[in-house]
């Protein structure tokens, strides 16, 4: 939001000036630019400065975040229903066994034999530490009297803890890590980071017996607190990513003891001279290792996810009732699993349930970036500098000075785009009583923007269809798609713009209807051939008397070479990359100002730091040189040749034309290119390798044709 203007200058702002200002507050993402196709015929009153602030307040609590989105919910539900049916059979088998007369008789005998002072299994048993060390040069791990391990010394940026413990008697079905607070850490931890957090990137457990080392399979993780349900959840500590994800506890968990519980696919039994080895890796962020932690195990079927161990209150009450002769059905249910741990048949059925649980299908999710409300904000280098973390409200500012606040700006819309008598209440929605995540201010804005009768819908529709026309013809009906105001270009066909806008509104804002309207039009189906007479009247083709010849965009040029050569990786979603050799679509390139992709730059990739209504289309020497010398182009041409090498020469030429240009070669082209392949192959000496190299040369030539990179 511009702050260099005085309030007086804001008051005198003209209608078209708002176009640029609106883009800075996010309205450009919906295609709203302030102005209309015929604003040159009208003069509007100045827009009050308070309208700007009230409009901006729509986005006060909108933040950028990353969330997990399910890709195939219907497929997942089908798999889940099938699994639930099979799992129910396994559970029923265990319940039938527990209710059998033989099992109940053994239980009654066990109750009679259990005397005061006996010690049935506690819910969690703290492991005895035999050795603990870190890969961090200055980190020392010291065992405390309560079984906890305290890290001291300067934390390494990345480090791994290796802890060896005893293997207690009985069956081990679950493992637990307690992340404990301590006064030696910032904010008491439980992590060693500057904010008290940690990030357990990877957690592995092994049974070690002599030279034999067996990895244990972990599943169904649970935690008392986790930073989010995605990359910083307890589940991400046992995923395949050992650096970018991990269990963390920010947003409410710092300064408190926490616990994470992991189930074992196969129960572990005590074995002679065997020990447990734990590997805790901290690679996710700088110095985000655990400061104090404790390791424990449980043999219960479903132990509590809690900090601390020992006998549970429920078990203590049940034992007291047993010894006093006041046993109830609830007490019996509490004591039964303790007894059953010693029964081999019950143990087998519990193991079957555990194995079944480990095969439970997981939803196929992908991480996406969203701009929304109520999610944890994406961390970046500007954290701590203000919006939105410390300013939950938008204020009116005197002379644009954030230190001169003149009251809170409630949501409002631009009065110039509201019919007489209407105000923001006409479009505002209140969040439901049980809804807390979002404020519904953006939904209110959407209502106003799409209201063609009383709001900005008539303008939004014109802006949208103009961009669609621009997409198909390379130039909009209004040639300045980001500026419909006084400083923009007048529409060449105002009636057509109005017609398409009405079509969009009548079709309930379905974009496909406008695409269909344009593609079926005589204008779009015209030839691109020139006409000398028409050229004299309209040399720049502003009236669209022929289809404009246009070069493909930078991303499409690169993707077309990969697709034609059969080397395009069509995998969707996932993180971006700065690797110029990646073979996914070009939209998966990350934008980093200091590391732009050269191939994208020479074909006019738009400036990433500001809104771009249209792209320039330049013709420069480096573009031709890229097709001639670029190693990637040469590599893709070689891959293209490998795909067509199985065909006879003439058929190979036909395949190259069909895959790259979408047409069959003419007889002249077929003859000339076949001769070229034979002569070029002979020049390489080796017949087999020479032919493939000759085909690669032809593929590279085809990549450089105008027909390949220009729309006809």
């Amino acid at each position: 939001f511009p702050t260099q203007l005085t309030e007086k200058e804001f008051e005198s702002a003209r209608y078209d000036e708002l176009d640029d200002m609106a883009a800075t507050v996010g309205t450009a993402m919906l295609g709203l630019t302030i102005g209309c196709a015929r604003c040159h015929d009208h003069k509007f009153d100045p827009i009050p400065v308070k309208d700007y602030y009230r409009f901006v307040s729509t986005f006060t609590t909108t933040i950028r975040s990353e969330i997990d989105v399910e890709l195939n919910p219907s497929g997942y539900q089908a798999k889940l229903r099938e699994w639930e049916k099979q799992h129910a059979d396994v559970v029923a088998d265990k319940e039938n066994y527990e209710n059998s007369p033989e099992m109940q008789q053994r239980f009654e005998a066990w109750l009679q034999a259990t005397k005061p002072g006996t010690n049935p299994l506690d819910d969690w048993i703290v492991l005895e530490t035999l050795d603990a060390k870190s890969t961090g040069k200055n980190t020392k791990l010291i065992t405390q009297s309560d079984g906890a391990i305290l890290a001291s010394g300067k934390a390494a940026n990345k480090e791994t803890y290796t802890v060896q413990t005893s293997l207690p008697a009985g069956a081990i079905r679950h493992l637990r890590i307690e992340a404990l607070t301590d006064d030696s850490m910032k904010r008491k931890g439980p992590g060693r980071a500057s904010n008290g957090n940690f990030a357990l990137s990877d957690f592995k457990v092994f049974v070690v017996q002599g030279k034999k080392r067996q990895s244990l399979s972990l599943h169904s993780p649970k935690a008392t607190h986790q930073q989010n349900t995605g990359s910083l959840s307890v589940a991400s500590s046992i995923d395949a990513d050992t650096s970018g994800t991990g269990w963390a506890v920010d947003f409410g968990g710092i300064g408190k003891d926490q616990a994470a519980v992991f189930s074992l696919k196969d129960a572990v039994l005590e074995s002679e001279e065997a020990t447990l080895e734990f590997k805790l890796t901290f690679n996710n962020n700088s110095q985000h290792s655990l400061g104090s932690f404790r390791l424990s195990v449980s043999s219960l079927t479903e132990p509590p996810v809690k900090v601390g161990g020992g006998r549970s209150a429920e078990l203590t009450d049940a034992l007291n009732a047993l010894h006093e002769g006041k046993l109830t059905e609830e007490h019996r249910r509490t004591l039964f699993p303790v007894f059953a741990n010693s029964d081999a048949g019950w143990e087998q059925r519990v193991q079957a349930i555990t194995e079944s649980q480990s095969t439970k299908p997981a939803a196929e999710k992908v991480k996406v970036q969203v701009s929304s409300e109520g999610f944890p904000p994406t961390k970046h280098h500007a954290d701590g500098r203000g919006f939105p973390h410390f300013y939950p409200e938008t204020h009116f500012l005197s002379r644009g000075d954030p230190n001169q606040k003149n009251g809170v700006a409630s949501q409002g819309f631009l009065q110039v785009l509201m019919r007489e008598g209407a105000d923001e209440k006409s479009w505002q929605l209140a969040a439901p009583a049980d809804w807390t995540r979002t404020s519904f201010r953006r939904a209110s804005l959407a209502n106003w923007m799409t209201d063609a009768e009383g709001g900005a819908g008539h303008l939004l529709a014109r802006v949208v269809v103009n961009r669609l026309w621009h997409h198909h013809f390379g130039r909009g009906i209004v040639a300045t798609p980001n500026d419909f105001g006084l400083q923009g270009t007048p529409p060449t066909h105002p009636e057509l713009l109005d017609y398409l806008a009405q079509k969009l509104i009548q079709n309930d804002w379905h974009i496909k209807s406008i695409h269909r309207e344009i593609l079926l039009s005589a204008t779009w189906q015209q030839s691109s051939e020139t006409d000398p007479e028409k050229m004299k009247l309209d040399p720049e083709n502003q009236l669209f008397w022929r289809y404009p010849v246009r070069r493909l965009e930078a991303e499409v040029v690169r993707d077309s070479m990969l697709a034609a050569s059969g080397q395009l990786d069509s995998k969707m979603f996932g993180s971006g990359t700065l690797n110029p050799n990646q073979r996914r679509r070009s939209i998966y390139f990350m934008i980093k100002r200091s590391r732009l992709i050269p191939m994208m730059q020479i074909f006019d990739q738009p400036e990433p730091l500001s809104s771009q209504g249209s792209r320039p289309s330049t013709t420069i020497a480096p573009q031709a040189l890229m097709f001639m010398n670029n190693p990637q182009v040469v590599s893709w041409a070689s891959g293209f040749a490998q795909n067509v090498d199985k065909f006879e020469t003439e058929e190979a030429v036909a395949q190259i034309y069909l895959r790259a240009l979408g047409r069959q070669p003419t007889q002249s082209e077929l003859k000339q290119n076949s001769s070229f392949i034979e002569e070029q192959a002979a020049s390489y000496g080796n017949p087999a390798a020479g032919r493939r190299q000759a085909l690669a040369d032809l593929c590279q030539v085809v990549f450089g044709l105008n027909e390949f990179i220009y729309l006809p």
Side-chain angles (χ1 to χ4, degrees), residues 109-176:
W110 181 85
L111 291 174
Q112 294 296 326
T114 301
K115 302 185 183 337
T118 57
N119 185 29
L121 293 173
D122 292 336
D123 53 14
W124 287 107
I125 300 173
V126 176
L127 296 173
E128 178 188 0
T129 301
L130 304 176
D131 184 47
K133 56 188 176 182
S134 169
T135 57
K137 181 179 179 181
N138 300 311
T139 298
K140 295 186 182 302
L141 300 179
I142 304 170
T143 304
Q144 309 297 297
S145 59
D146 62 353
I149 299 173
L150 181 66
S152 63
K154 183 179 179 181
N157 287 338
K158 318 286 182 184
E159 58 185 323
T160 297
Y161 295 168
T162 302
V163 181
Q164 291 183 338
T165 73
S166 60
L167 182 61
I172 298 175
R173 296 188 177 89
H174 305 275
L175 305 170
R176 182 182 66 174

Side-chain angles (χ1 to χ4, degrees), residues 18 58 85 115 164 202 230 241 275 361 363 384 397 400 422 425 458 474 496 501 504 506 552 561 575 595 648 682 700:
L18 183 56
T58 297
K85 181 180 178 181
K115 302 185 183 337
Q164 291 183 338
D202 192 49
D241 189 341
T275 60
L397 305 179
K425 295 183 179 63
H458 59 287
L496 174 60
L504 180 63
Q506 291 168 6
L552 299 177
M561 285 190 282
S575 58
R595 290 182 60 186
E648 296 295 331
Q700 190 174 351

Side-chain angles (χ1 to χ4, degrees), residues 13-135:
R14 294 304 304 173
Y15 199 63
D16 58 298
E17 289 177 307
L18 183 56
D19 178 55
D20 295 329
M21 297 176 187
T24 67
V25 298
T27 55
M29 66 183 177
L30 291 175
L32 177 62
T33 53
I34 307 305
C36 68
R38 299 183 182 179
C39 65
H40 297 263
D41 301 328
H42 304 280
K43 301 295 181 183
F44 293 98
D45 294 331
I47 300 172
V49 64
K50 289 191 175 183
D51 271 16
Y52 292 97
Y53 287 103
R54 297 186 68 196
F55 189 80
V56 170
S57 70
T58 297
F59 305 99
T60 298
T61 54
T62 300
I63 53 93
R64 185 176 63 183
S65 184
E66 292 181 343
I67 64 172
D68 292 318
V69 173
E70 193 172 334
L71 293 181
N72 184 14
S74 58
Y76 165 67
Q77 290 298 326
K79 292 179 181 178
L80 184 62
R81 285 192 294 270
E82 181 65 25
W83 175 85
E84 287 173 341
K85 181 180 178 181
Q86 297 174 357
H87 185 71
D89 293 340
V90 178
V91 172
D93 181 50
K94 171 178 167 289
E95 292 174 349
N96 292 335
Y97 183 79
E98 290 174 345
N99 295 322
S100 65
E102 297 82 0
M103 187 69 166
Q104 291 299 319
Q105 289 173 7
R106 289 197 295 273
F107 180 40
E108 293 297 332
W110 181 85
L111 291 174
Q112 294 296 326
T114 301
K115 302 185 183 337
T118 57
N119 185 29
L121 293 173
D122 292 336
D123 53 14
W124 287 107
I125 300 173
V126 176
L127 296 173
E128 178 188 0
T129 301
L130 304 176
D131 184 47
K133 56 188 176 182
S134 169
T135 57

Side-chain angles (χ1 to χ4, degrees), residues 589-604:
F589 279 130
M590 290 174 58
I591 300 297
K592 187 176 178 64
R593 285 174 289 177
S594 59
R595 290 182 60 186
L596 297 176
I597 307 301
M599 188 179 293
M600 300 292 98
Q601 287 184 280
I602 65 172
F603 281 101
D604 308 304

Side-chain angles (χ1 to χ4, degrees), residues 346-501:
W346 188 83
E347 173 69 28
Q348 290 175 1
R349 286 163 175 80
V350 169
Q351 185 65 29
I353 292 176
T354 302
E355 291 176 356
S356 175
Q357 287 174 331
S358 67
T359 63
K360 183 178 181 179
E364 185 183 0
K365 295 183 177 181
V366 65
K367 193 166 295 300
V368 299
Q369 188 179 86
V370 297
S371 291
S372 187
E373 301 171 85
F375 293 106
T378 299
K379 289 186 175 296
H380 52 78
H381 295 299
D383 280 350
R385 298 181 189 174
F387 179 88
H389 306 292
F390 299 108
Y391 299 123
E393 297 176 325
T394 296
H395 293 83
F396 297 114
L397 305 179
S398 178
R399 301 179 65 84
D401 184 354
N403 294 318
Q404 299 185 52
K405 297 181 174 65
N406 291 327
V408 175
S410 60
Q411 185 187 32
F413 308 121
L414 303 177
Q415 295 179 23
V416 74
L417 291 177
M418 289 190 274
R419 295 290 187 266
E420 280 189 34
D423 59 24
E424 59 273 7
K425 295 183 179 63
S426 304
W427 301 281
Q428 284 178 334
L429 292 174
D434 58 345
W435 186 258
T436 59
R437 169 155 289 172
T438 55
S439 65
F440 272 67
R441 287 196 297 266
R442 291 175 302 138
S444 302
L445 172 66
N447 286 341
W448 170 70
M449 291 178 66
T450 55
D451 184 351
E453 298 299 324
H458 59 287
L459 168 59
L460 176 61
R462 288 185 175 96
V463 171
V464 170
V465 298
N466 186 66
R467 290 183 182 273
L468 295 179
W469 188 277
H470 175 97
H471 171 78
H472 286 294
F473 291 95
R475 188 183 70 250
I477 298 171
V478 176
T480 52
N482 267 17
D483 193 344
F484 273 41
L486 295 174
Q487 295 178 349
T489 303
T492 56
H493 303 73
E495 292 82 4
L496 174 60
L497 187 66
D498 288 350
Y499 168 79
L500 292 174

